[in-house]
Amino acid sequence: MKQNSPSAQDILAELKSQSNQEYLSSLRQLGVQGEKILGVKMPVIRSLAKTYHKNHELALQLWQTEIHEVRIMAGLLDDVKAVTVQQMEAWVQDFNSWDICDQTCSNLFCRTSYAYDKALAWSERHEEFVKRAGFVLMAGLAIHDKKAEDAKLAAFFPLIEREAYDERNFVKKAVNWALRQIGKRNATLRTMALLVAERLAAHELPNARWIGKDALRELKSEKIRKRLQ
């Protein structure tokens, strides 16, 4: 049964009770940054989030704690209809790790009416996690926007090629993710994604080649080919 009105402190106390120091160490090894990290596994956070109702004001309070897992919880509990452009811009500036970026964009931002605009705008920004957020939005839209026409998602391909030069690991992997996810949407987009991936695989820059070759590996796999047939 869902709880109607937990406080931010209630949620923080529950998350603290689930902290795991061994998992915290593994997060550090995976490049998760920041000082305020409890070490709570994602399935635990998701399970706890399901016990609460969506609450925009509570989500804003949770975000203000600056605690890693509490911010992930904020993205799960926020009401997508109440999210504003101003909030998205404020939160994206706070992203300091790949998982907060990915979880917030995938669980919340990509479901807003501003997602396409922000994917375009953030992909042009220099800040590492802001740029990553732009491409995570593209990947998320390819998954969640079931009604999107192919042309709307195909418009992201030039941005993927444009930013494939970025050598930063968290950007490179997000660009690759967006290319693969759009390509897995349907047979038409797969054909277009393969052309992009082939151009990148032949690129002079090593990171662009990696993006292209990795995307080709998945998009040409028997599993994906059969599913899209």
Side-chain angles (χ1 to χ4, degrees):
M1 184 175 179
K2 291 193 175 185
Q3 301 181 44
N4 287 320
S5 55
S7 69
Q9 290 304 313
D10 291 335
I11 292 175
L12 175 57
E14 181 65 29
L15 287 172
K16 282 183 174 179
S17 73
Q18 299 290 337
S19 62
N20 182 314
Q21 291 303 305
E22 184 177 343
Y23 183 64
L24 174 57
S25 297
S26 69
L27 285 176
R28 296 291 191 193
Q29 292 172 5
L30 290 170
V32 173
Q33 304 297 318
E35 297 179 0
K36 298 182 177 181
I37 305 177
L38 301 176
V40 182
K41 295 182 178 180
M42 196 62 219
V44 174
I45 299 173
R46 287 190 180 279
S47 179
L48 181 60
K50 290 179 181 178
T51 68
Y52 301 122
H53 289 286
K54 298 290 185 181
N55 187 320
H56 179 61
E57 292 304 319
L58 176 61
L60 296 178
Q61 293 172 26
L62 292 173
W63 193 267
Q64 290 303 314
T65 67
E66 300 183 3
I67 297 172
H68 187 83
E69 291 84 352
V70 181
R71 282 188 161 175
I72 291 176
M73 180 70 80
L76 288 166
L77 293 184
D78 207 346
D79 180 355
V80 66
K81 295 180 180 178
V83 175
T84 65
V85 172
Q86 292 76 16
Q87 176 188 342
M88 292 175 72
E89 285 294 339
W91 283 22
V92 78
Q93 289 292 333
D94 288 335
F95 289 170
N96 62 354
S97 68
W98 59 267
D99 58 339
I100 287 183
C101 173
D102 295 1
Q103 292 296 333
T104 305
C105 288
S106 299
N107 297 326
L108 182 64
F109 287 173
C110 78
R111 302 171 192 271
T112 69
S113 59
Y114 316 113
Y116 282 91
D117 288 341
K118 289 305 173 188
L120 294 170
W122 290 347
S123 70
E124 296 180 348
R125 296 266 288 273
H126 175 72
E127 306 100 303
E128 185 171 15
F129 290 115
V130 178
K131 187 180 288 289
R132 180 183 176 92
F135 290 99
V136 174
L137 284 180
M138 295 177 198
L141 287 165
I143 298 169
H144 299 297
D145 189 2
K146 304 299 185 182
K147 296 181 180 180
E149 296 181 358
D150 289 351
K152 205 167 184 180
L153 294 169
F156 292 140
F157 286 135
L159 309 182
I160 288 170
E161 288 199 71
R162 183 193 70 197
E163 298 303 331
Y165 74 88
D166 197 313
E167 296 180 351
R168 293 174 294 181
N169 191 49
F170 292 128
V171 174
K172 178 180 72 173
K173 289 189 174 181
V175 172
N176 170 264
W177 184 12
L179 177 57
R180 289 184 293 106
Q181 206 61 59
I182 296 171
K184 290 188 290 182
R185 170 85 170 205
N186 58 44
T188 299
L189 286 169
R190 174 180 175 270
T191 298
M192 299 173 72
L194 284 171
L195 292 174
V196 174
E198 286 168 356
R199 287 195 293 271
L200 291 177
H203 204 284
E204 62 181 10
L205 295 176
N207 48 294
R209 288 200 301 273
W210 177 86
I211 291 170
K213 289 179 179 180
D214 187 74
L216 286 173
R217 188 179 303 112
E218 181 171 15
L219 295 176
K220 285 187 173 183
S221 69
E222 189 72 7
K223 177 182 177 181
I224 297 302
R225 188 179 62 79
K226 284 185 175 180
R227 180 170 69 81
L228 296 183
Q229 280 181 339

